């Protein structure tokens, strides 16, 4: 009797699960899927069962991780055993969780091929990890063109490829032209974790109160199951000022400007063609750690990519597609200034350059690789 192949997936982040959802559309639904993911991602796969979901991994910052260290150790050990019993392993982002799984599999002599999609950001910090990743992962799927240079051994052995960027699978086409700032909708995205929302949203509220435009609050899709009173507990009573949207792509496409917490959403808005300002605030201790270890002039991925495009290096350069306001600079006054200083036509031309640089989406190429490996083993 034919036995269906088993794919182990470890996707602990909200953005990884969005990318995974598009990847799943390109996979055979008869494949057994196990590991860590949101159940709705593989809703049409009759043999998909998650051991953990995103709710189990909702942490932010160094001290939140410390509090759950025992849980993470237990989960890693459980996932190692599950991965060893699979035909292919797919790791997505979350390097502090996923690399120990890959390392243990190789140490145990496992022959299960390991595919890493959404690679650790070794170009931002800990560049020495690239050699380790090359040695413990069999196939590397780069979503940023400049990542290839970080893995010379994998390049030589043809185990790494630029697969495209997942956002180009997920977002609508680029706007035909920028929307006028004066009367367009304004989008607000204060983050996907409760702790960052509680730090950033109150500042965004102060801005919203000073703008006459219609305001849209983009809420993470994984909050969709929450009741209105539960959302009010996270965002506060000022949530009533906003139109609510769970569809970030549509809301951003219909908006003339966006105020966004750092993260994938900043690149998402950029590639859609919506001018934005990045606003980020966290614990001072977390920022201190970041400044010690991270050697970048920007934290916004669109800005990092734009400098890599023009200078061939993600670490240098001061070019900006959008402004960044971090920690004490994140004030309502500074956010409003960024809004008023926006030049939509210039922004739009820069976006076109960035889309050409990234070329295409990644779901099809990654699915092709996984399918090939599943059939091979």
């Amino acid at each position: 009797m034919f036995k269906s192949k088993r794919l182990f997936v470890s996707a602990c982040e909200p953005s990884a699960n969005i990318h995974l959802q598009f990847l799943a559309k390109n996979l055979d639904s008869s494949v057994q899927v196990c590991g860590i993911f949101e159940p709705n991602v593989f809703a049409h796969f009759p043999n998909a069962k998650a051991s953990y979901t995103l709710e189990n991994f909702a942490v932010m910052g160094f001290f939140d991780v410390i509090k759950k260290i025992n849980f993470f150790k237990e989960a890693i050990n459980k996932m190692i055993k599950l991965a060893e019993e699979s035909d292919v392993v797919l790791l997505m982002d979350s390097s502090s969780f996923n690399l120990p799984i890959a390392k243990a599999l190789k140490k145990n002599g496992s022959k299960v091929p390991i595919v890493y999609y959404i690679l650790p950001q070794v170009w931002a910090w800990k560049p020495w990890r690239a050699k380790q990743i090359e040695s413990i992962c069999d196939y590397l799927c780069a979503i940023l063109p400049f990542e290839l240079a970080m893995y010379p051994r994998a390049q030589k052995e043809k185990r790494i490829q630029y697969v495209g960027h997942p956002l180009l699978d997920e977002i609508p086409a680029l706007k035909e032209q920028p929307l006028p700032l004066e009367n367009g909708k304004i989008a607000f995205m204060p983050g996907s974790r409760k702790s960052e929302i509680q730090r950033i949203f109150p500042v965004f509220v102060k801005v919203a109160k000073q703008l006459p435009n219609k305001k849209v609050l983009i809420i993470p899709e994984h909050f969709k199951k929450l009741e209105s009173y539960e959302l009010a507990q996270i965002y506060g009573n000022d949530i009533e000022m906003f139109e609510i949207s769970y569809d970030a792509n549509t809301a951003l496409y219909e908006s003339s400007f966006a105020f966004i917490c750092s993260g994938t959403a900043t690149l998402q808005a950029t590639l859609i063609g919506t001018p934005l300002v990045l606003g980020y605030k966290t614990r001072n201790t977390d920022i201190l750690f970041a400044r010690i270890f991270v050697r970048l002039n920007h934290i916004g991925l669109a800005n990092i990519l734009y400098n890599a495009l023009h200078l061939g290096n993600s670490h240098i350069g001061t070019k900006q597609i959008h402004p960044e306001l971090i920690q004490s600079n994140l004030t309502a006054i500074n956010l409003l200034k960024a809004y008023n200083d926006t030049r939509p036509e210039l922004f739009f031309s820069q976006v076109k350059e960035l889309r050409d640089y990234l070329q295409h989406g990644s779901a099809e190429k990654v699915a092709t690789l996984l399918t090939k490996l599943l059939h091979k083993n």
Side-chain angles (χ1 to χ4, degrees):
M1 183 177 178
F2 174 76
K3 180 182 177 183
S4 61
K5 297 293 186 176
R6 176 184 279 190
L7 173 66
F8 171 86
V9 175
S10 180
C12 311
E13 293 284 342
S15 59
N17 277 265
I18 294 171
H19 305 331
L20 185 59
Q21 196 162 13
F22 284 81
L23 176 57
K25 293 178 181 179
N26 292 273
L27 293 173
D28 184 345
S29 61
S30 68
V31 173
Q32 293 184 37
V33 187
C34 60
I36 305 166
F37 50 86
E38 286 293 277
N40 67 295
V41 171
F42 293 102
H44 301 297
F45 284 61
N47 299 313
K49 183 178 180 181
S51 298
Y52 299 102
T53 63
L54 291 186
E55 191 173 349
N56 302 116
F57 292 84
V59 296
M60 181 183 178
F62 178 76
F63 291 106
D64 287 347
V65 172
I66 293 295
K67 292 176 185 176
K68 296 190 73 170
I69 194 71
N70 289 331
F71 162 76
F72 288 127
K73 287 181 179 179
E74 180 183 333
I76 287 172
N77 289 332
K78 186 176 179 180
M79 293 302 96
I80 290 168
K81 293 178 182 178
L82 198 58
E84 286 179 324
E85 298 168 355
S86 302
D87 295 293
V88 176
V89 168
L90 175 64
L91 306 178
M92 300 182 66
D93 208 349
S94 306
S95 59
S96 59
F97 186 86
N98 285 330
L99 288 181
I101 294 175
K103 187 175 180 179
L105 290 175
K106 291 304 179 185
K107 184 179 179 180
N108 296 345
S110 172
K111 301 300 182 184
V112 180
I114 300 170
V115 178
Y116 213 127
Y117 173 42
I118 319 297
L119 294 171
Q121 295 179 343
V122 297
W123 45 270
W125 72 311
K126 294 185 179 180
W128 50 265
R129 289 189 303 170
K131 287 187 177 180
Q132 180 193 41
I133 294 166
E134 285 179 318
S135 65
I136 62 177
C137 298
D138 301 294
Y139 299 92
L140 306 179
C141 298
I143 65 168
L144 304 173
F146 62 78
E147 286 182 310
L148 298 177
M150 303 296 297
Y151 302 93
R153 175 182 163 189
Q155 272 192 289
K156 184 178 180 181
E157 296 171 354
K158 297 183 179 179
R159 293 189 293 110
I160 185 171
Q161 60 174 317
Y162 172 63
V163 293
H165 200 284
L167 285 181
L168 292 182
D169 288 317
E170 301 158 19
I171 63 177
L174 176 66
K175 293 179 183 180
E176 292 183 7
Q177 61 184 17
L179 300 176
L181 293 179
E182 297 78 22
N183 52 16
K185 290 183 181 180
I186 304 294
F188 294 84
M189 296 185 73
S192 60
R193 298 179 178 89
K194 294 178 183 179
S195 52
E196 64 188 4
I197 290 168
Q198 289 164 357
R199 288 189 180 94
I200 295 167
F201 187 56
V203 185
F204 283 1
V205 167
K206 291 179 182 178
V207 172
K209 288 179 177 178
Q210 297 186 57
L211 292 173
N213 311 58
K214 187 172 185 178
K215 296 98 177 172
V216 182
L217 176 61
I218 301 174
I219 294 180
E221 194 173 349
H222 60 276
F223 284 172
K224 201 170 186 177
K225 58 187 177 183
L226 299 181
E227 300 290 342
S228 57
Y229 76 90
E230 293 176 299
L231 288 175
Q233 288 175 347
I234 297 171
Y235 290 89
N237 293 330
D238 286 317
I239 193 173
E240 297 177 358
M241 294 172 49
F242 300 84
E243 172 188 324
I244 302 299
S245 174
Y246 293 94
D247 184 347
N249 285 333
T250 300
L252 288 169
Y253 195 82
E254 295 175 349
S255 297
S256 62
F257 194 85
F259 296 88
I260 303 181
C261 170
S262 176
T264 305
T266 55
L267 181 60
Q268 184 179 8
T270 300
L271 294 177
I272 287 172
T274 303
L276 71 138
V277 56
L278 179 158
Y280 189 69
K281 181 182 286 188
T282 187
R283 296 185 184 96
N284 288 331
T285 49
D286 292 334
I287 286 291
L288 178 61
F289 279 116
R291 285 175 176 166
I292 292 171
F293 295 109
V294 179
R295 303 299 182 187
L296 292 170
N297 288 339
H298 299 95
I299 67 169
L301 190 51
N303 288 334
I304 292 168
L305 282 166
Y306 197 66
N307 281 284
L309 165 62
H310 283 275
L311 302 170
N313 190 320
S314 60
H315 289 68
I316 62 175
T318 57
K319 292 179 180 292
Q320 283 196 156
I321 291 183
H322 61 77
E324 301 180 358
L325 299 173
I326 304 167
Q327 294 301 90
S328 61
N329 288 324
L330 181 60
T331 65
I333 292 174
N334 287 340
L335 288 169
L336 286 165
K337 184 178 186 304
Y339 169 79
N340 290 321
D341 289 346
T342 297
R343 298 165 60 191
E345 294 296 339
L346 173 61
F347 172 81
F348 211 62
S349 67
Q350 293 172 321
V351 171
K352 290 179 179 178
E353 290 182 74
L354 206 55
R355 286 185 71 113
D356 289 343
Y357 178 54
L358 294 176
Q359 299 175 28
H360 50 70
S362 57
E364 186 176 342
K365 283 198 171 186
V366 178
T368 298
L369 173 61
L370 293 175
T371 300
K372 178 182 176 181
L373 293 173
L374 286 166
H375 289 165
K376 183 178 179 181
N377 293 281

